Amino acid sequence: MSGVYRPLFSVVSPVYRAETLVDELMRRIQISLASITEDYEIILVDDRSPDGSWARIQVHAARDPRVQGLLLSRNFGQHRAITAGLDRCRGQWVVVLDCDLQDRPEEIPALFAKAQQGFDLVLARRANRQDSRSQKLMSRLFYRVLSYLTETPQDPAVANFGIYHRKVIAAVLAMRESIRYFPTMVRWVGFRTSYLDVMHAERTVGSSSYGFSQRLNLGLDILLANSDKPLRLTIKFGLFLSGGAFLLVPITLLRYWIGQISQPGYTSLIISIWFFSGLLLAVLGMVGLYIGKTFEQVKNRPLYLVDEQTSSAL
C-alpha cells in the first residue's frame, strides 16, 4: 500500500435529499480547500436519495476528476454511507461533514490549522446550534441518557463534522460491526483529540430526517453495540425486588395476624402476576435484542452495496 497516491485532503459527505444543496455544497467546499491546497478529493455518497441528488453528483464528477460519487443500492443510513466514503478515500487528512450545510465548509481551514498543533483529530463543537428549541431539548436528553447507559461521555454539540488523520480513519475502518455510529467509534479509538468551537448554520432547505422514532432507534442500536449496562441494571433491579419481597413478607404476615386482611392473597396475587409478568417480558425482550444484534453481526453481510459510481471513483 506504500505506493498508493494519497492526496493531502479527502472530504467525505453522505448525501440524502440534497438535490438543491449539492451545487452550493461543492462550491463552498472547493473554495475552502483551495485556500489550503489543490491536492484534494471530494467523495459524495448518495444514500439512495429519492430526489435528483445523484444526477447533480454526476455533473460535478464529470467536471472535476477530484470529485467522486457513489450511489448505494438502497438507503443504508447516514453512518454506513460515511463508511462507504471512508473506504474509498485516500487523503492524509479526512474531513467528514453533512450535506445540509449546517456544517459550514468554511470551518475546514480552521480545523486543519488546529490539527497542525499536534492533534490526530479535531472535532467541531457547534457553539450555538441553529435548531428549534424542541430539537435541542430532545438532543440534550438523548445524549444524556446515552452517556449514562454507554458510560461514555456524549456531547450533543459534537456530531460527524471534524478532521481526522489517516491513522484515525484506518482504526475506525478496522471496526466492521454492523451497527455504525461514527462519533462513538471515533471516541472509542482514542488518539490525540481536540475540539474547536465553530459556527452552526441554519437549515435553509428541508428538515432533519432524524425524528423522535429515528433517534430512538439509533440510540437503541448504539446502546446495544457499545454497552451491556441495561443487562446489569436489570440484574440490580431484580435483586432490589427480591430484597423488597423479603421485607414485605413479615409485614404481610403481621397484617394477616391482626386481622387487617379479610381476603388474603387475592390482591397481592393479581398485582404480583401482572408486575412480574411484565418484568419477565421486559428482561426477555432486552436479552432478545442483544441476541438479535449478535445474530445480525455473525451473518457478516456487507455494510453497504454500491449500485453506481462515477468514473473517477473506479
Side-chain angles (χ1 to χ4, degrees):
M1 296 296 291
S2 59
V4 175
Y5 165 68
R6 295 201 180 279
L8 178 61
F9 268 97
S10 293
V11 176
V12 174
S13 182
V15 175
Y16 190 74
R17 295 186 183 274
E19 179 182 5
T20 59
L21 294 172
V22 170
D23 293 348
E24 181 68 8
L25 175 69
M26 288 297 306
R27 184 186 71 83
R28 291 170 62 178
I29 289 177
Q30 290 173 323
I31 290 175
S32 296
L33 292 178
S35 66
I36 306 172
T37 181
E38 294 293 331
D39 187 21
Y40 64 80
E41 64 180 2
I42 301 172
I43 303 175
L44 303 178
V45 183
D46 187 337
D47 194 21
R48 207 65 189 191
S49 183
D51 59 8
S53 297
W54 177 239
R56 299 311 308 159
I57 292 173
Q58 289 177 305
V59 168
H60 287 279
R63 291 175 180 171
D64 189 340
R66 294 173 297 184
V67 179
Q68 302 179 31
L70 299 175
L71 175 64
L72 302 188
S73 63
R74 65 171 178 83
N75 181 256
F76 284 92
Q78 180 187 38
H79 299 280
R80 292 197 183 198
I82 290 175
T83 300
L86 297 180
D87 279 338
R88 298 302 198 284
C89 76
R90 300 167 295 169
Q92 299 175 34
W93 291 96
V94 180
V95 174
V96 177
L97 80 165
D98 295 341
C99 69
D100 57 12
L101 292 176
Q102 288 193 276
D103 293 339
R104 301 174 65 251
E106 291 78 10
E107 304 288 355
I108 293 175
L111 290 169
F112 181 59
K114 184 71 174 179
Q116 295 305 294
Q117 298 176 15
F119 298 105
D120 297 314
L121 62 154
V122 180
L123 301 173
R125 182 189 287 119
R126 297 166 288 186
N128 185 21
R129 291 186 60 180
Q130 300 299 312
D131 292 320
S132 67
R133 183 173 300 178
S134 61
Q135 284 180 311
K136 291 179 182 179
L137 180 61
M138 184 186 301
S139 180
R140 192 177 298 115
L141 178 62
F142 171 80
Y143 282 106
R144 182 168 297 178
V145 173
L146 193 61
S147 297
Y148 172 72
L149 291 176
T150 61
E151 299 180 336
T152 302
Q154 305 284 342
D155 187 348
V158 176
N160 303 315
F161 191 24
I163 187 168
Y164 310 90
H165 191 271
R166 163 55 47 184
K167 63 183 178 183
V168 177
I169 298 302
V172 169
L173 290 178
M175 303 162 63
R176 304 306 288 187
E177 55 256 41
S178 59
I179 298 176
R180 316 292 295 179
Y181 186 62
F182 184 66
T184 299
M185 299 171 79
V186 164
R187 287 178 177 84
W188 187 88
V189 300
F191 297 103
R192 292 167 294 184
T193 305
S194 184
Y195 296 84
L196 181 69
D197 288 344
V198 300
M199 292 179 60
H200 188 232
E202 293 185 7
R203 182 183 294 271
T204 58
V205 178
S207 59
S208 174
S209 59
Y210 279 100
F212 177 78
S213 60
Q214 287 81 6
R215 288 180 184 274
L216 182 61
N217 290 332
L218 177 62
L220 187 59
D221 281 347
I222 298 168
L223 178 62
L224 295 176
N226 294 280
S227 176
D228 63 352
K229 191 167 187 176
L231 293 176
R232 290 186 279 117
L233 288 175
T234 301
I235 294 172
K236 291 179 181 179
F237 186 52
L239 293 175
F240 172 76
L241 290 178
S242 298
F246 281 111
L247 293 176
L248 287 174
V249 167
I251 296 174
T252 304
L253 289 175
L254 178 61
R255 291 182 62 202
Y256 175 74
W257 287 331
I258 65 178
Q260 291 185 356
I261 301 178
S262 59
Q263 293 180 343
Y266 178 77
T267 302
S268 59
L269 179 63
I270 294 300
I271 293 176
S272 297
I273 290 175
W274 282 38
F275 179 77
F276 285 105
S277 295
L279 180 62
L280 286 172
L281 287 174
V283 172
L284 289 174
M286 182 63 67
V287 174
L289 285 173
Y290 277 97
I291 294 174
K293 293 302 179 182
T294 303
F295 173 68
E296 183 179 335
Q297 181 66 38
V298 298
K299 287 189 290 187
N300 200 30
R301 290 180 178 177
L303 296 177
Y304 59 87
L305 295 172
V306 176
D307 183 12
E308 297 181 41
Q309 54 188 344
T310 59
S311 58
S312 56
L314 295 177

